[in-house]
Amino acid sequence: MNEQQKACVGKRIPIDALHEFCTEVMVRHGLTPDHARATADVLVTTDTWGVFTHGTRQIVPLMNNVDHKAIDATAQPEIASDGPSWAIVDGHGAMPPASGVYAMDLAIEKARRTGIAYVGVKHSNHFGAAGYYAVHAARQGLIGLSMSNVDVCMTVPFARAPSIGTNPISYAVPVRGENPVFLDIATSVVAISKVLTAKAAGTPIPDNWLVDENGQPTTDASSYPGTGSIVPMTAHKGYGIAFLIEVLSGILTGASFLSGINRWIDPEPKPADQGQAYIAVDVDAMMAPHVFADRMKKAVAEIRSAPKAAGHDRVYLPGEMEWERRDDAVANGLLLPDYVLMNLFTVADKNGLSDRLIGLFG
Amino acid sequence: MNEQQKACVGKRIPIDALHEFCTEVMVRHGLTPDHARATADVLVTTDTWGVFTHGTRQIVPLMNNVDHKAIDATAQPEIASDGPSWAIVDGHGAMPPASGVYAMDLAIEKARRTGIAYVGVKHSNHFGAAGYYAVHAARQGLIGLSMSNVDVCMTVPFARAPSIGTNPISYAVPVRGENPVFLDIATSVVAISKVLTAKAAGTPIPDNWLVDENGQPTTDASSYPGTGSIVPMTAHKGYGIAFLIEVLSGILTGASFLSGINRWIDPEPKPADQGQAYIAVDVDAMMAPHVFADRMKKAVAEIRSAPKAAGHDRVYLPGEMEWERRDDAVANGLLLPDYVLMNLFTVADKNGLSDRLIGLFG
């Protein structure tokens, strides 16, 4: 970063301004304005949750995929086949957030007619934070689930090399008068970003995060990626859940699966051909809306009133920390970490938008 | 156990004979023959998987629930409300394995018409191993999921007391020419039975299994149940998944949830009013059967061929160990652990069936 750019460190940026900037960048890379806006919304929303690893930082590798035609800037997703409560969508390599919202909207529409619906997407790529799509359903009163297979990077019990992806899964449940309860997790014991942070800092990691080239625990983060593999959460449990996600997102959709998936973050990426799965459950079909709302309220209140551990004065619902971070970002702007700013200025420089970006910081 | 009973330790019992014995016991406690057979099938199948904690051992607490009318020996589950791809079943307190098979059959039937279906059950009780019902769907060519809420026994991050159940979830995916891939897990870091085993032996446990009355890690298994609470798998991940299961099994079905659930293993149990959820996905609707079969074969082969960790010569698919144990049990009979035999002889003695049970061991 140059001096003017460095001066932005520690300053906040309004989320609408960041959204517009990201949209402009993506339009300059050839995306249709609606796909650019859809993608900006996924990335900025993820930043507001404080999940900066999956936020606007990713505009750099995403645009690299567009530039290498691993993502098709102008393609439109379409229904390949469908039935009363299911569909397979061909993403045609289009920008995954656009395919994702399209697929979840389709799942919502079908669920409203039948009760529950599954929509799988093939010929997709990295779709950002799975939670965005689940929350999209919950905002419309449905329970949403979203998941994706990803390139192999995680070992499985008794193996010693990457054998499956850290396949993420998310859900969101509407709560009347509040933000949805939501969870968005990888099936690994820890996010890969934490391994890479330790690697950059040269600090040892707990011995249950990675295994080395012999499948033995290692505290050396520098082995990833390379000889090291990340470990599934609670061993066979994370492995088993990752396999289910592989089936629903990859095998059943017609996408690539396991080693067939190309790494979207390669410097010269090829189409990843990942698959995603979206499920929507129409709560209102099954239970009077006020009854479900009352029961959720009661459950949420009971969890919040749990006796607190020493040193803690609150128990959080899944996603509640993320919503509080978002409230702050909406009110006061986003305070982005340095590594996110570096990515944003990289893409700004490339598109002659550096001055505009600098001007957005308060 | 008396001398004759003790002589059965270390001997095998044919699974059909054990099934008949369990059915006879349950009929003597008032169950209809079909509900008794359905329940015996769940319990014996679970034993054949080597999951003895959830197998025929449970006939003692289950019959205690029947004797206390916490389970209704003659009630029949029925559809309370339904739509094209969903139903809520009122279990009416009937034997949960009977409600479970009824509900999963209904989910299968609806999924075959629409693609995917959800069936929730309210007014249920302990349904044994979740995996039984998922496998039931996979045997008919569908992907099956089953899950249940259970009485609170698990803490959540920043709390110090039981706040949610160890809500189990299971799935099964058909593999042509092989047993289904299947997973059946609690959302806790470890099965409660392992804590109780360490407690009985007086041995310390790893410090990430339980928290004490202050919410701090403890290696003292004797604190459970009581002041200790079991910890969710990977903290917020297991907690988050347990909450989703609570919603789909309990809140959305009209069953009790969280602290509203009565403990089915109490000496004088009241109706537990647990809820269960079953989801079936009709693979054949979405993909030509031979294509799905080929893709699953390829995925399964790839996982099996993963480079092995030092000291290991095989990588297992989820559920594969359980199927190999079952093959052995089907061919050679079941070798039941002492604590299972003690439970079986307890219930045999009570029903005047001890001699018959002794006669079944080879």
Side-chain angles (χ1 to χ4, degrees):
Chain A
M1 290 194 280
N2 63 33
E3 289 309 310
Q4 276 185 298
Q5 291 170 341
K6 278 186 194 156
C8 297
V9 174
K11 291 185 182 165
R12 288 175 181 253
I13 182 169
I15 64 170
D16 289 348
L18 181 60
H19 192 288
E20 271 175 48
F21 168 78
C22 290
T23 301
E24 174 64 24
V25 164
M26 289 186 274
V27 167
R28 291 195 181 201
H29 281 265
L31 259 73
T32 58
D34 59 330
H35 284 201
R37 274 192 296 270
T39 305
D41 207 51
V42 172
L43 300 179
V44 174
T45 299
T46 307
D47 274 340
T48 65
W49 287 333
V51 186
F52 298 113
T53 52
H54 284 62
T56 53
R57 175 189 82 82
Q58 295 195 334
I59 201 166
V60 171
L62 283 170
M63 290 306 100
N64 192 46
N65 274 263
V66 169
D67 295 347
H68 284 84
K69 302 192 187 308
I71 290 177
D72 185 330
T74 59
Q76 297 287 341
E78 64 177 350
I79 297 172
S81 55
D82 73 335
S85 63
W86 66 276
I88 302 296
V89 166
D90 190 332
H92 289 308
M95 201 65 179
S99 310
V101 172
Y102 175 84
M104 185 54 104
D105 279 338
L106 187 59
I108 291 167
E109 183 194 323
K110 286 176 177 286
R112 282 196 170 131
R113 274 194 241 120
T114 64
I116 181 174
Y118 160 93
V119 176
V121 180
K122 62 182 172 181
H123 304 146
S124 188
N125 201 299
H126 178 72
F127 76 155
Y132 180 88
Y133 311 95
V135 166
H136 181 71
R139 290 285 183 215
Q140 293 169 72
L142 292 88
I143 297 171
L145 286 97
S146 69
M147 63 197 83
S148 180
N149 67 0
V150 302
D151 53 284
V152 297
C153 54
M154 187 164 81
T155 190
V156 301
F158 309 158
R160 62 177 164 80
S163 305
I164 197 166
T166 57
N167 300 349
I169 183 165
S170 175
Y171 75 81
V173 182
V175 186
R176 187 173 286 181
E178 288 196 39
N179 287 302
V181 171
F182 93 102
L183 182 77
D184 181 351
I185 57 170
T187 39
S188 47
V189 66
V190 71
I192 284 173
S193 55
K194 290 196 183 176
V195 175
L196 298 177
T197 302
K199 180 180 180 173
T203 52
I205 54 172
D207 70 358
N208 65 341
W209 288 11
L210 291 182
V211 293
D212 65 15
E213 68 275 20
N214 298 314
Q216 301 305 308
T218 176
T219 59
D220 177 14
S222 75
S223 66
Y224 186 89
T227 55
S229 303
I230 199 151
V231 170
M233 62 174 178
T234 320
H236 71 288
K237 298 191 182 188
Y239 162 41
I241 295 173
F243 193 87
L244 173 64
I245 297 168
E246 197 74 37
V247 171
L248 294 175
S249 306
I251 296 173
L252 184 56
T253 60
S256 288
F257 53 90
L258 298 176
S259 65
I261 301 169
N262 290 312
R263 276 163 58 97
W264 79 286
I265 55 164
D266 273 355
E268 301 197 353
K270 287 175 282 196
D273 194 20
Q274 289 172 241
Q276 278 104 30
Y278 303 90
I279 294 172
V281 180
D282 185 18
V283 170
D284 291 354
M286 304 179 194
M287 185 170 259
H290 72 279
V291 175
F292 183 78
D294 288 350
R295 290 165 69 86
M296 277 300 293
K297 282 279 176 202
K298 195 177 162 200
V300 157
E302 181 174 329
I303 294 278
R304 286 192 178 123
S305 70
K308 312 301 179 286
H312 292 277
D313 59 5
R314 279 185 68 183
V315 167
Y316 294 80
L317 270 299
E320 197 168 14
M321 288 183 184
E322 285 76 10
W323 291 125
E324 294 193 0
R325 290 189 204 114
R326 178 169 172 83
D327 288 344
D328 175 63
V330 168
N332 306 311
L334 266 164
L335 194 59
L336 297 167
D338 293 11
Y339 69 91
V340 176
L341 293 180
M342 282 175 61
N343 275 272
L344 291 176
F345 279 116
T346 297
V347 83
D349 285 342
K350 200 169 171 182
N351 288 281
L353 292 168
S354 182
D355 287 350
R356 191 190 300 186
L357 180 56
I358 290 166
L360 301 177
F361 286 86
Chain B
M1 289 193 282
N2 64 32
E3 290 308 311
Q4 275 185 299
Q5 291 169 341
K6 277 186 195 157
C8 296
V9 173
K11 290 185 183 166
R12 288 175 179 255
I13 182 169
I15 64 170
D16 289 348
L18 180 60
H19 192 289
E20 271 175 50
F21 168 77
C22 290
T23 301
E24 174 65 23
V25 165
M26 289 186 275
V27 167
R28 292 197 180 199
H29 281 265
L31 259 72
T32 58
D34 58 331
H35 284 199
R37 274 192 297 270
T39 305
D41 207 51
V42 171
L43 300 179
V44 174
T45 299
T46 307
D47 273 340
T48 65
W49 287 334
V51 186
F52 298 113
T53 53
H54 284 62
T56 53
R57 175 189 82 81
Q58 294 194 335
I59 202 167
V60 171
L62 283 170
M63 290 308 99
N64 192 47
N65 274 263
V66 169
D67 295 347
H68 283 84
K69 302 195 186 308
I71 290 176
D72 185 329
T74 58
Q76 296 286 342
E78 65 177 348
I79 297 172
S81 54
D82 72 337
S85 63
W86 66 276
I88 303 295
V89 166
D90 190 331
H92 290 307
M95 201 65 179
S99 310
V101 171
Y102 174 84
M104 186 55 105
D105 280 338
L106 187 58
I108 291 168
E109 182 194 323
K110 287 177 177 286
R112 282 196 169 131
R113 275 194 241 121
T114 65
I116 181 173
Y118 160 91
V119 176
V121 181
K122 62 181 171 181
H123 304 148
S124 188
N125 202 299
H126 177 73
F127 76 156
Y132 180 88
Y133 311 95
V135 166
H136 181 71
R139 290 285 183 216
Q140 293 168 74
L142 293 88
I143 297 170
L145 285 96
S146 69
M147 62 198 84
S148 180
N149 67 0
V150 302
D151 52 284
V152 297
C153 55
M154 187 164 80
T155 190
V156 302
F158 308 158
R160 64 176 164 80
S163 305
I164 197 166
T166 56
N167 300 349
I169 184 166
S170 173
Y171 75 82
V173 181
V175 185
R176 186 173 287 180
E178 288 197 37
N179 286 304
V181 171
F182 92 103
L183 181 76
D184 182 350
I185 57 170
T187 39
S188 47
V189 66
V190 71
I192 284 174
S193 56
K194 289 196 184 175
V195 175
L196 297 178
T197 301
K199 179 180 179 171
T203 52
I205 54 173
D207 70 359
N208 65 341
W209 288 11
L210 290 183
V211 292
D212 65 16
E213 68 275 20
N214 297 314
Q216 302 304 308
T218 177
T219 58
D220 177 15
S222 74
S223 66
Y224 187 90
T227 55
S229 303
I230 199 151
V231 170
M233 62 173 179
T234 320
H236 71 290
K237 298 190 181 188
Y239 162 41
I241 296 173
F243 192 87
L244 173 64
I245 296 167
E246 197 73 38
V247 171
L248 294 175
S249 307
I251 297 174
L252 184 56
T253 60
S256 288
F257 53 89
L258 298 176
S259 64
I261 300 168
N262 289 313
R263 278 163 57 98
W264 79 287
I265 55 164
D266 273 353
E268 299 198 354
K270 286 175 284 195
D273 194 20
Q274 289 172 240
Q276 278 104 29
Y278 303 90
I279 295 172
V281 180
D282 184 19
V283 169
D284 291 355
M286 305 179 194
M287 185 169 258
H290 72 278
V291 175
F292 183 78
D294 287 352
R295 290 166 69 85
M296 277 300 294
K297 281 279 176 206
K298 196 177 161 201
V300 156
E302 182 175 328
I303 294 278
R304 285 192 178 124
S305 69
K308 311 301 179 286
H312 292 278
D313 59 6
R314 278 184 70 183
V315 168
Y316 293 80
L317 269 300
E320 196 168 13
M321 287 183 184
E322 285 76 11
W323 291 125
E324 293 192 0
R325 291 190 203 113
R326 179 169 171 84
D327 287 345
D328 175 62
V330 169
N332 306 311
L334 266 165
L335 193 59
L336 297 167
D338 292 11
Y339 69 90
V340 176
L341 293 181
M342 281 175 60
N343 275 273
L344 291 176
F345 279 117
T346 297
V347 83
D349 285 341
K350 202 167 168 182
N351 288 280
L353 292 168
S354 182
D355 287 348
R356 191 191 302 184
L357 180 57
I358 290 166
L360 301 177
F361 285 86

